[in-house]
Short mmCIF file of all heavy atoms in Angstrom, two decimals:
data_model
loop_
_atom_site.label_atom_id
_atom_site.label_comp_id
_atom_site.label_asym_id
_atom_site.label_seq_id
_atom_site.Cartn_x
_atom_site.Cartn_y
_atom_site.Cartn_z
N ILE A 126 118.73 -130.50 -69.33
CA ILE A 126 119.34 -131.16 -68.17
C ILE A 126 120.73 -131.67 -68.51
O ILE A 126 121.64 -131.66 -67.67
CB ILE A 126 118.43 -132.31 -67.66
CG1 ILE A 126 118.87 -132.73 -66.25
CG2 ILE A 126 118.43 -133.48 -68.60
CD1 ILE A 126 118.65 -131.69 -65.19
N THR A 128 122.86 -130.20 -70.52
CA THR A 128 123.71 -129.02 -70.45
C THR A 128 124.07 -128.70 -69.00
O THR A 128 125.22 -128.40 -68.67
CB THR A 128 123.02 -127.82 -71.10
OG1 THR A 128 122.86 -128.08 -72.50
CG2 THR A 128 123.84 -126.54 -70.92
N ARG A 132 127.92 -128.88 -67.54
CA ARG A 132 128.57 -127.74 -66.89
C ARG A 132 129.11 -128.13 -65.52
O ARG A 132 130.24 -127.76 -65.15
CB ARG A 132 127.57 -126.59 -66.75
CG ARG A 132 127.27 -125.84 -68.04
CD ARG A 132 126.16 -124.84 -67.81
NE ARG A 132 125.88 -124.05 -69.00
CZ ARG A 132 124.76 -123.36 -69.20
NH1 ARG A 132 123.83 -123.34 -68.25
NH2 ARG A 132 124.59 -122.67 -70.30
N THR A 146 127.78 -135.77 -76.76
CA THR A 146 127.11 -136.09 -78.01
C THR A 146 125.62 -135.89 -77.85
O THR A 146 125.09 -135.88 -76.73
CB THR A 146 127.42 -137.53 -78.47
OG1 THR A 146 127.00 -137.69 -79.83
CG2 THR A 146 126.70 -138.56 -77.61
N ALA A 164 133.38 -132.74 -78.56
CA ALA A 164 132.09 -133.24 -79.07
C ALA A 164 132.34 -134.46 -79.94
O ALA A 164 133.33 -134.53 -80.68
CB ALA A 164 131.38 -132.16 -79.87
N LEU A 200 130.87 -150.16 -68.09
CA LEU A 200 130.96 -148.78 -67.63
C LEU A 200 129.89 -148.43 -66.60
O LEU A 200 128.72 -148.81 -66.77
CB LEU A 200 130.81 -147.82 -68.82
CG LEU A 200 131.93 -147.87 -69.86
CD1 LEU A 200 131.55 -147.02 -71.06
CD2 LEU A 200 133.24 -147.40 -69.26
N THR A 215 112.22 -151.68 -68.23
CA THR A 215 112.99 -151.42 -67.01
C THR A 215 113.68 -152.68 -66.53
O THR A 215 114.88 -152.68 -66.20
CB THR A 215 112.05 -150.87 -65.91
OG1 THR A 215 111.49 -149.64 -66.35
CG2 THR A 215 112.80 -150.66 -64.61
N ALA A 217 114.45 -155.36 -68.21
CA ALA A 217 115.48 -155.81 -69.15
C ALA A 217 116.79 -155.05 -68.92
O ALA A 217 117.88 -155.64 -68.92
CB ALA A 217 115.00 -155.63 -70.59
N ALA A 224 123.82 -158.56 -64.81
CA ALA A 224 124.69 -159.56 -65.46
C ALA A 224 126.11 -159.03 -65.61
O ALA A 224 127.08 -159.78 -65.49
CB ALA A 224 124.11 -159.92 -66.83
N MET A 231 120.69 -143.72 -60.52
CA MET A 231 119.54 -143.02 -61.09
C MET A 231 119.46 -141.57 -60.60
O MET A 231 119.77 -141.27 -59.45
CB MET A 231 118.25 -143.75 -60.74
CG MET A 231 118.14 -145.13 -61.36
SD MET A 231 118.32 -145.14 -63.18
CE MET A 231 116.96 -144.06 -63.66
N ARG A 260 101.80 -135.30 -47.27
CA ARG A 260 101.25 -134.63 -48.45
C ARG A 260 102.41 -134.19 -49.34
O ARG A 260 103.26 -133.43 -48.91
CB ARG A 260 100.40 -133.42 -48.06
CG ARG A 260 99.29 -133.73 -47.09
CD ARG A 260 98.53 -132.47 -46.70
NE ARG A 260 97.54 -132.73 -45.66
CZ ARG A 260 97.78 -132.63 -44.35
NH1 ARG A 260 98.98 -132.23 -43.93
NH2 ARG A 260 96.84 -132.88 -43.48
N PRO A 270 106.76 -128.71 -73.70
CA PRO A 270 106.33 -128.60 -75.11
C PRO A 270 105.32 -129.69 -75.48
O PRO A 270 105.38 -130.81 -74.98
CB PRO A 270 107.64 -128.77 -75.89
CG PRO A 270 108.72 -128.41 -74.92
CD PRO A 270 108.22 -128.84 -73.57
N ALA A 271 104.40 -129.34 -76.35
CA ALA A 271 103.35 -130.28 -76.74
C ALA A 271 103.91 -131.57 -77.33
O ALA A 271 103.36 -132.66 -77.10
CB ALA A 271 102.40 -129.62 -77.74
N TRP A 273 106.50 -133.12 -76.46
CA TRP A 273 107.11 -133.95 -75.42
C TRP A 273 106.07 -134.84 -74.76
O TRP A 273 106.38 -135.97 -74.35
CB TRP A 273 107.78 -133.06 -74.38
CG TRP A 273 108.13 -133.76 -73.11
CD1 TRP A 273 107.57 -133.58 -71.88
CD2 TRP A 273 109.12 -134.78 -72.91
NE1 TRP A 273 108.13 -134.42 -70.94
CE2 TRP A 273 109.09 -135.16 -71.56
CE3 TRP A 273 110.02 -135.41 -73.77
CZ2 TRP A 273 109.93 -136.14 -71.04
CZ3 TRP A 273 110.86 -136.39 -73.25
CH2 TRP A 273 110.81 -136.74 -71.89
N GLY A 279 103.40 -139.69 -69.43
CA GLY A 279 102.25 -139.19 -68.69
C GLY A 279 102.62 -138.59 -67.35
O GLY A 279 103.74 -138.75 -66.85
N TYR A 304 94.92 -145.05 -55.06
CA TYR A 304 93.74 -144.66 -55.84
C TYR A 304 94.08 -143.33 -56.48
O TYR A 304 94.41 -142.36 -55.78
CB TYR A 304 92.48 -144.53 -54.98
CG TYR A 304 91.27 -144.21 -55.83
CD1 TYR A 304 90.60 -145.21 -56.50
CD2 TYR A 304 90.84 -142.89 -56.01
CE1 TYR A 304 89.51 -144.94 -57.31
CE2 TYR A 304 89.76 -142.60 -56.81
CZ TYR A 304 89.09 -143.63 -57.47
OH TYR A 304 88.03 -143.36 -58.28
N GLY A 310 91.78 -130.91 -68.19
CA GLY A 310 91.40 -129.53 -68.50
C GLY A 310 92.61 -128.69 -68.83
O GLY A 310 93.77 -129.10 -68.69
N MET A 314 96.44 -129.75 -75.60
CA MET A 314 97.53 -130.70 -75.87
C MET A 314 97.54 -131.86 -74.90
O MET A 314 98.01 -132.95 -75.23
CB MET A 314 98.88 -129.98 -75.84
CG MET A 314 99.25 -129.36 -74.53
SD MET A 314 100.84 -128.48 -74.69
CE MET A 314 101.09 -127.93 -73.01
N GLY A 319 96.54 -137.86 -74.69
CA GLY A 319 95.99 -138.87 -73.80
C GLY A 319 96.49 -138.73 -72.38
O GLY A 319 96.49 -139.69 -71.60
N ASP A 367 111.27 -118.40 -48.63
CA ASP A 367 110.86 -117.08 -49.13
C ASP A 367 110.68 -117.04 -50.64
O ASP A 367 110.37 -115.99 -51.19
CB ASP A 367 111.85 -116.01 -48.68
CG ASP A 367 113.28 -116.25 -49.17
OD1 ASP A 367 113.50 -117.25 -49.90
OD2 ASP A 367 114.15 -115.44 -48.83
N PRO A 380 104.11 -112.40 -46.47
CA PRO A 380 103.90 -111.79 -47.79
C PRO A 380 104.21 -112.78 -48.90
O PRO A 380 104.94 -113.76 -48.69
CB PRO A 380 104.90 -110.63 -47.79
CG PRO A 380 106.00 -111.08 -46.88
CD PRO A 380 105.32 -111.88 -45.80
N ALA A 382 105.99 -114.35 -52.23
CA ALA A 382 107.41 -114.38 -52.61
C ALA A 382 107.71 -113.29 -53.64
O ALA A 382 106.95 -113.09 -54.59
CB ALA A 382 107.76 -115.74 -53.18
N SER A 387 110.99 -120.64 -60.52
CA SER A 387 110.47 -120.66 -61.88
C SER A 387 110.48 -122.05 -62.51
O SER A 387 109.77 -122.30 -63.47
CB SER A 387 111.29 -119.72 -62.76
OG SER A 387 112.66 -120.12 -62.78
N GLY A 388 111.33 -122.96 -61.98
CA GLY A 388 111.41 -124.28 -62.56
C GLY A 388 112.34 -125.18 -61.78
O GLY A 388 112.96 -124.77 -60.78
N ARG A 409 134.68 -143.60 -58.37
CA ARG A 409 136.01 -143.68 -57.77
C ARG A 409 136.10 -144.72 -56.65
O ARG A 409 137.15 -144.91 -56.05
CB ARG A 409 136.41 -142.30 -57.22
CG ARG A 409 136.75 -141.30 -58.31
CD ARG A 409 136.90 -139.88 -57.74
NE ARG A 409 137.90 -139.83 -56.68
CZ ARG A 409 139.21 -139.69 -56.85
NH1 ARG A 409 139.69 -139.61 -58.09
NH2 ARG A 409 140.04 -139.63 -55.83
N GLU A 437 91.08 -147.06 -64.95
CA GLU A 437 90.01 -147.99 -64.61
C GLU A 437 89.13 -147.51 -63.46
O GLU A 437 88.18 -148.18 -63.09
CB GLU A 437 90.61 -149.36 -64.28
CG GLU A 437 91.40 -149.94 -65.45
CD GLU A 437 91.94 -151.33 -65.18
OE1 GLU A 437 91.61 -151.91 -64.11
OE2 GLU A 437 92.69 -151.85 -66.04
N PRO A 440 90.68 -148.63 -56.95
CA PRO A 440 91.92 -148.80 -56.19
C PRO A 440 92.76 -149.91 -56.81
O PRO A 440 92.23 -150.88 -57.35
CB PRO A 440 91.42 -149.21 -54.79
CG PRO A 440 89.97 -148.84 -54.75
CD PRO A 440 89.48 -148.95 -56.15
N PRO A 447 103.63 -156.50 -60.43
CA PRO A 447 104.62 -157.32 -59.73
C PRO A 447 106.05 -156.92 -60.05
O PRO A 447 106.38 -156.48 -61.15
CB PRO A 447 104.32 -158.74 -60.24
CG PRO A 447 103.68 -158.52 -61.57
CD PRO A 447 102.88 -157.27 -61.44
#
Side-chain angles (χ1 to χ4, degrees):
I126 195 67
T128 295
R132 285 174 177 162
T146 193
L200 294 172
T215 298
M231 295 304 301
R260 305 178 186 91
W273 165 249
Y304 183 82
M314 62 183 183
D367 60 2
S387 60
R409 287 170 56 85
E437 300 183 6

